[in-house]
Amino acid sequence: MDRQYELAIVRRAFARRLMAAAGIANPGIEAAFATVERERYLGPGPWPILRSIGYIPTPDDDPVHLYADILIGIIPERGLNNGMPSYHVPLLASADIRAGEHVVHIGAGVGYYTAIMARLAGPAGRVTAIEFDTGLARRAAANFSHASNVQVFQGDGFSMSFDPADVIYVNAGVTHPADIWLDRLNDRGRLILPLTSERTWSPDGATLISHYGAVFRIERQGDDYFAAWISAVGLYPCEGGRDRASEAALDAAFQKGGWRAVTRLYRAADLPDDRCWLRGTQWALAYD
């Protein structure tokens, strides 16, 4: 059997398993995971796979090892990984990237999930990928050197300017949304926002989780921002996207619970306490 044909079968099976495990039927996302070659973005193997005892290299450089729901180290000495596909499937489904849209990917890493987004946006759409780490940004830029619908920039995605976007997909943990993300979100645009706390705590009363957080989908409708919880998350912190006061407020919000009931993001902080899950500086996540 031709090797590329064999790998194509492996990728299709990988994509089918991901969608089934997530309980999501989305032909576009499934086709993207079945088509995009993970090894193309991670470079030559063997690859460091994060296990419970640390990073373990794959036995060899066969790309078949990459088509599983695993974390793969991209800077393992710093704990930076190419993320779990099962984490991204429901977020991508919630982002609902459509053909022709402009997507901004904050925290693009080496670009594997950027490529998934570019596949969803199609040749008529485009992806602006922003990566803080200089080395990773350089690798991502090389990976997309021949792509017509992806631009890679090195910089702080929390403050860097970009064109108005239909989807802003944040792939690093923040304590609050950046003003520019809310400002540059088009009408009916979607922001995927992971809010994470540094404190180790127990969300279910039994299991300790470090860097625990919650991912919200924020949709802009005119001057209103509607919010919905998507999933729990433990994520690498966003450079520039954290401060002590916001950290303390977010930690207190997680401890009191209620994040799944959040329905609105307000660009004001003067809401009654009983309506707020999290109150920031000139913004709040609230229940109605």
Side-chain angles (χ1 to χ4, degrees), residues 52 175 184 210 218 244 259 262 280:
S52 59
T175 55
R184 296 297 173 90
S210 184
I218 311 297
R244 289 187 178 181
W259 56 87
V262 167

Side-chain angles (χ1 to χ4, degrees), residues 93-258:
S94 189
D96 191 23
I97 299 169
R98 303 156 197 167
E101 291 192 321
H102 177 213
V103 182
V104 176
H105 185 193
I106 309 292
V110 293
Y112 173 61
Y113 293 103
T114 307
I116 298 286
M117 295 175 206
R119 175 71 165 71
L120 294 169
R126 61 191 178 105
V127 179
T128 299
I130 302 173
E131 172 53 47
F132 183 84
D133 184 90
T134 303
L136 293 180
R138 189 180 300 116
R139 288 175 63 183
N143 287 335
F144 290 107
S145 60
H146 300 295
S148 61
N149 64 341
V150 177
Q151 284 188 296
V152 178
F153 297 94
Q154 188 279 321
D156 182 356
F158 200 80
S159 58
M160 179 177 285
S161 181
F162 50 80
D163 291 340
D166 302 294
V167 173
I168 301 172
Y169 193 101
V170 181
N171 200 38
V174 299
T175 55
H176 55 290
D179 285 337
I180 194 168
W181 299 345
L182 302 174
D183 291 341
R184 296 297 173 90
L185 199 61
N186 284 332
D187 192 32
R188 301 288 177 173
R190 290 84 64 200
L191 165 65
I192 302 302
L193 178 67
L195 297 176
T196 62
S197 172
E198 293 286 350
R199 178 175 173 175
T200 300
W201 66 295
S202 178
D204 59 7
T207 305
L208 292 178
I209 298 177
S210 184
H211 304 292
Y212 190 79
V215 187
F216 294 92
R217 178 189 196 267
I218 311 297
E219 179 173 336
R220 182 175 189 171
Q221 296 184 21
D223 292 331
D224 295 322
Y225 296 84
F226 293 88
W229 177 86
I230 306 172
S231 74
V233 63
L235 204 58
Y236 201 86
C238 176
E239 297 286 348
R242 313 188 69 85
D243 64 64
R244 289 187 178 181
S246 297
E247 182 84 51
L250 181 58
D251 182 67
F254 279 134
Q255 290 189 65
K256 75 180 180 183

